Amino acid sequence: MPRFALWMAVAAIGVASVASAAPVDDARLATARQDAGDWLTYGHDYSNQRFSALTQINRDTVARLVPRWIYQTGAKASFQATPVVVDGVIYLSMPFDHVAAIDAVSGRELWRYTHVRRTKTMCCGPANRGVAVAYGKVFIATVDARLVALDAATGKPVWDVALATDGGPTEAASDLDEGNAMRAQAATGTTGVGANMAPLVVDGKVIVGITGVGYGLHLEAETAGAPVGAVVGFAGSYGRPGFYAAFDARTGRRVWQFDTVPATGWEGQFRPTTPDGVPLPRNIAREQAALARFPDAAKHGGGSAWTTPAYDADTRTLFVGIGNPSPQMDDSSRPGDNLYTMSLAALDLDSGKLKWYYQQVPHDLWGYDVASPPVLFDLPTADGPVAAVGQASKVGWFYAHDRNTGQLLFKSEAFVPQENLFAPPSAEGTRVTPGAVGGANWSPVAYDPASGLAYVAASHIPIRYTVKDIQGKDGTPLRYTELKPIDEPNWGTLTAIATREGGKIRWQRKTDKPLVGGVLATAGGLVFMGDGDGYLNAYDADTGAPLWRFQCGAGVNAPPVSFEVNGVQYVAVAAGGNSLFGFKGGGALVVFALPPTRQ
């Protein structure tokens, strides 16, 4: 058969497979880990391991990997989405929350939903990290703080509800006193709420959280097209508490809500160290004395929800990450530990009640959100396997906990340089690495259940933290804390962490640019990771040796996935860049496979 005719025949088979798509129900979601052909949820399955058992693309064949088709979204903006793949259909979220259903074999668009924002301001940029698919619906959480259910067959809205009762983004930087005071420095940003994370569907509930509550403003870079120049956090009553919530998948009704800042007791124990014993630069006596002057601090407490949860069906437990307290970096109006910000937390699926939490950084001054999604795995011990949950942190360690108790099992070797870690901001400026945009940011890790290796993408970006004062609109002194990347070399690290060896580093690859996007591991002995220079790369999973790369034309700053249709394994990744890091923009989904066999 001629090559063109063969490709057309393959495409026709793909379209036929779309028509016979089966619904995604609770049983199918619960067994997604055994479904190598599909990619049913953000993390592949409830464990968030991002591991594909497919082997057609492997160490021996990956050199022949080529693009099969490219879907152009038409949206040139930061593109962070994980495609969800069900029975030969790719469900793709795009910047600004548009969604498309695409035939996975031919690349033909089946339907497209265009999201119309209810507010033009956005708290956290245009990126969306993915959809959830279940019960004949596609669920997306939006930058204007909505949760929308679409018909999976047509893309038409079924229901649309507000995530936060007080609406979405509320104030632009130019509307605020500090925005006016800094107008010459081009202050941008908003305070309010939105959502970027991919929802998770479990037992009829759609789990999602809000972002934008850890108040801070961005200052534009001096050079056009460069990354954001700085982020500032102002002392005062800005922001609101964040939350994770469960919504009824059938109706959109809110079932429960877990506030990431408690109404009482958010001051905690005034810990002088992190839970694992690292000293913190705190004047606890001064904080305790100030507590009475800020009785309503928790009402503005922050704690954004950046991460799609992992889920343990045996204990009906969700594992979530919580972001920075508000005001961001500046602590003068928020004495105490600022619970439950900067924590990995375990929640009961049915009620949303807190089971345990581990606060990686009490009373944060640096922006060390728990941003990378938790991953579940079993840890062999002399007394038998321990059910564990791991999280790759911004501070540069991979933490592993007993997921039933929260007990810290180990903290890995540092996967990025750590210098002046937990040193306080100062008037002269304090150099810290990793800073708020370094370490393991929102990028999800991958985990190989056979080897026990966790693969972490991270960044080395030194940051200077400076305490400053300006005059407010009424002439009163106004304090703020600024973080600003330092003009010195930065880079990325892709690290294999041996969870069965107490977190030792098995291998590490240094990359020219910071790594942000996410990792895919496969049973073919491969690890896939994109980079800001536009390459999708494949590495040997055991050694880290580079085996293959392809130039996608824009920064590959989204997590790859793998799936199979009609006996053909594919790898798919979004290529759209990231404006925060200055990576080249685009708007494509690139889908790869081995060349068709000649007949």
Side-chain angles (χ1 to χ4, degrees), residues 455 494-496 505-509 527 539-544:
Y455 302 98
L494 178 61
T495 308
I505 291 178
R506 178 72 59 83
W507 57 258
Q508 184 174 86
R509 297 289 304 183
V527 174
Y539 302 90
D540 187 297
D542 291 337
T543 67

Side-chain angles (χ1 to χ4, degrees), residues 475-486:
T476 58
L478 186 64
R479 167 181 148 160
Y480 69 96
T481 301
E482 175 189 85
L483 73 82
K484 190 172 185 178
I486 301 174

